[in-house]
């Protein structure tokens, strides 16, 4: 939308409404003073509308509110002193207060608009980087209806160390979900390294255990001494799901209204710490749903109580469109937490529908 129609997230009708509200404050203040016909230095109160407007209106509109305040101050004194200039002239200091407030308000609005524009550009850049790292996943992949969702804990910057990918290869549908230890750009770089390596070896390696070794070496070469990546590698071939878990929260199988965790007998360490993952095999049935997530969901809590993922899995993600299911889950999670999330979350939901593949 053109700049003339939108200012930093405010639509033109919203700006006009805000301007009208600020102008109404001017009218109300003048009306109150005229009601009591007080000759004290009440004009300085009219500095408040432009100061308040500077918090949300564009600077040109702030100046408009300020000029309205000064005009109202003149009219107020003109009426109070029986339509004479003596009272107006004697309140020069009050006019100066309002004028200075207008200048300060306009300056504040200009700085705020520049900061808003800078934040907007950074948010757009973060979105581009995020899309380059986490490529969009189609709605259908092999025998699965599939949906992916990235939930950022930070407002205005959807970028972090959580990762996922889903590929249709000669060896079947292959999926990875993972979480890089740490935050910031180092986590993003390591996430990009893992995904880049995975996108290569997923088409080259017939055995997932060899893929784990390749990814482990990639992490070890690029990570710090205390860095690692928890991950789940999963592939489907002929209705059989093969899962390798490297220190990651276990996936969930939702079948016939019941949610169960798919956990191996022993947990392997994360990538970067030489995992020797034990393969878990599950025979799928039409209508089965596989839910994968990162520990931002597993560790979300309210007053020390964890979000009841398994208990609410069927009602939230067990039926209906998989994309709508993840949206419902995110909404329920935010209501549960009742505040900002403490960690990013990556979500994948697969609905096994081989008859439509």
């Amino acid at each position: 939308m053109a700049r003339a129609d939108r200012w930093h997230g405010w639509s033109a009708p919203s700006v006009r409404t805000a301007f009208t509200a600020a102008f109404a404050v001017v009218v109300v203040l003048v009306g109150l003073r005229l009601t009591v016909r007080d000759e004290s230095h009440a004009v300085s109160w009219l500095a408040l509308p432009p100061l308040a407007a500077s918090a949300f209106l564009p600077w040109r509109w702030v100046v408009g509110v300020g000029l309205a305040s000064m005009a109202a101050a003149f009219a107020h004194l003109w009426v109070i002193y029986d339509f004479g200039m003596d009272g107006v002239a004697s309140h020069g200091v009050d006019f100066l207060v309002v004028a200075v407030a207008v200048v300060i308000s306009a300056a504040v609005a200009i700085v705020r608009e520049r900061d808003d524009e800078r934040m907007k550009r950074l948010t757009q850049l973060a979105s581009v980087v995020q899309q380059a790292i986490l490529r969009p996943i189609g709605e259908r992949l092999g025998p699965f209806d599939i949906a992916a969702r990235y939930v950022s804990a930070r407002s205005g910057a959807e970028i972090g160390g959580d990762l996922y990918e889903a590929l249709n290869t000669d060896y079947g549908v292959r999926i990875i979900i993972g979480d890089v230890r740490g935050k910031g750009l180092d986590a993003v770089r390591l996430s990009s390294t893992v995904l880049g390596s995975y996108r290569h070896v997923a088409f080259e390696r017939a055995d997932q255990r060899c893929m784990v070794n390749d990814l482990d070496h990639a992490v070890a070469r690029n990570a710090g001494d205390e860095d690692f990546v928890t991950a789940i590698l999963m592939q489907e071939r002929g209705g059989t799901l093969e899962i390798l878990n490297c220190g990651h929260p276990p996936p969930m199988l939702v079948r016939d209204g019941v949610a169960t965790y798919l956990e191996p007998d022993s947990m392997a360490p994360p990538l970067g710490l030489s995992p020797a993952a034990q393969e878990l095999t599950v025979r799928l049935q039409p209508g089965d749903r596989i839910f994968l997530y990162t520990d931002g969901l597993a560790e979300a809590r309210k007053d020390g109580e964890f979000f009841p993922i398994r208990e609410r899995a069927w009602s939230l993600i067990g039926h209906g469109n998989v994309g709508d299911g993840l949206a419902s889950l995110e909404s329920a999670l935010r209501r549960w937490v009742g505040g900002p999330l403490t960690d990013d979350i990556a979500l994948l939901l697969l609905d096994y529908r081989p008859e439509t593949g």
Side-chain angles (χ1 to χ4, degrees):
M1 185 174 292
R3 185 175 176 86
D5 295 323
R6 184 171 292 274
W7 293 271
H8 311 290
W10 283 70
S11 63
S14 298
V15 172
R16 286 194 290 269
T17 300
F19 178 81
T20 301
F23 187 79
V25 172
V26 175
V27 174
V28 169
L29 286 174
V30 172
L32 289 174
R33 303 312 302 172
L34 289 175
T35 300
V36 299
R37 295 184 66 85
D38 188 359
E39 298 184 9
S40 64
H41 294 274
V43 174
S44 55
W45 283 95
L46 289 167
L48 294 179
L51 289 172
S54 67
F56 50 86
L57 283 177
W59 72 268
R60 292 179 179 86
W61 293 72
V62 172
V63 172
V65 173
L67 293 176
S69 290
M70 295 184 70
F74 180 88
H76 168 66
L77 294 173
W78 180 267
V79 173
I80 286 291
Y81 286 93
D82 296 324
F83 309 98
M85 289 296 297
D86 293 341
V88 175
S90 65
H91 285 74
V93 174
D94 293 316
F95 276 109
L96 182 61
V97 169
V98 177
V100 170
V102 174
V103 173
I104 293 174
S105 300
V108 169
I110 290 172
V111 172
R112 193 204 72 246
E113 286 186 82
R114 289 177 178 173
D115 289 343
D116 289 347
E117 187 64 30
R118 187 179 299 110
M119 179 58 69
K120 181 180 178 181
R121 289 196 299 268
L122 290 175
T123 301
Q124 291 173 340
L125 177 61
S127 178
V128 170
V129 173
Q130 185 77 344
Q131 291 176 17
I133 296 175
L134 297 180
R135 300 184 303 199
I137 294 177
E139 296 179 357
R140 184 75 186 175
L141 189 68
F144 294 106
D145 291 336
I146 185 170
R149 197 173 186 90
Y150 193 97
V151 182
S152 177
R154 293 168 295 281
S155 176
E158 297 185 356
I159 188 167
D162 292 24
L163 59 97
Y164 56 77
E165 182 60 284
L167 303 168
N168 200 351
T169 74
D170 293 339
Y171 309 106
V173 172
R174 287 182 157 176
I175 295 167
I176 186 173
I177 189 168
D179 189 0
V180 177
R181 179 188 179 275
K183 307 285 186 183
L185 291 178
D186 289 340
V188 175
R189 292 190 192 99
L190 191 52
S191 171
S192 179
T193 297
V194 172
L195 285 174
S197 298
Y198 180 80
R199 287 163 182 156
H200 173 71
V201 299
F203 291 95
E204 301 295 329
R205 297 290 195 180
D207 191 333
Q208 281 201 118
R209 284 180 285 261
C210 294
M211 293 170 58
V212 169
N213 291 334
D214 292 336
L215 296 176
D216 177 61
H217 294 156
V219 172
R221 286 192 301 267
N222 293 276
D225 293 337
E226 298 182 358
D227 293 335
F228 56 81
V229 181
T230 68
I232 288 176
L233 279 71
M234 187 172 70
Q235 70 178 18
E236 183 275 335
R237 293 187 292 188
T240 297
L241 194 65
E242 300 165 353
I243 304 169
L244 293 175
N245 193 329
C246 302
H248 198 80
M252 184 181 295
L253 170 67
V254 183
R255 173 185 290 172
D256 298 328
V258 178
T260 55
Y261 289 111
L262 302 177
E263 299 181 271
D265 293 335
S266 60
M267 182 73 72
L271 300 174
L273 301 177
S274 302
Q278 176 184 354
E279 188 171 75
L280 178 65
T281 301
V282 178
R283 187 66 186 174
L284 294 175
Q285 300 176 7
D288 283 353
R289 293 200 166 189
I290 308 298
F291 178 48
L292 302 105
Y293 52 93
T294 53
D295 61 6
L297 176 63
E299 296 174 0
R301 67 187 75 187
K302 177 184 67 175
D303 299 329
E305 185 177 357
F306 291 102
F307 181 71
I309 308 170
R310 186 169 62 180
E311 291 78 0
R312 302 186 63 178
W314 174 253
S315 62
L316 293 173
I317 59 174
H319 50 85
N321 180 273
V322 287
D324 294 340
L326 291 186
S328 298
L329 175 66
E330 179 184 349
S331 298
L333 175 64
R334 291 188 181 277
R335 288 194 299 269
W336 173 271
V337 174
L341 299 173
T342 58
D343 196 4
D344 292 357
I345 304 172
L347 305 171
L348 279 173
L349 181 60
L350 298 92
D351 187 3
Y352 184 61
R353 300 286 177 181
E355 68 278 3
T356 58

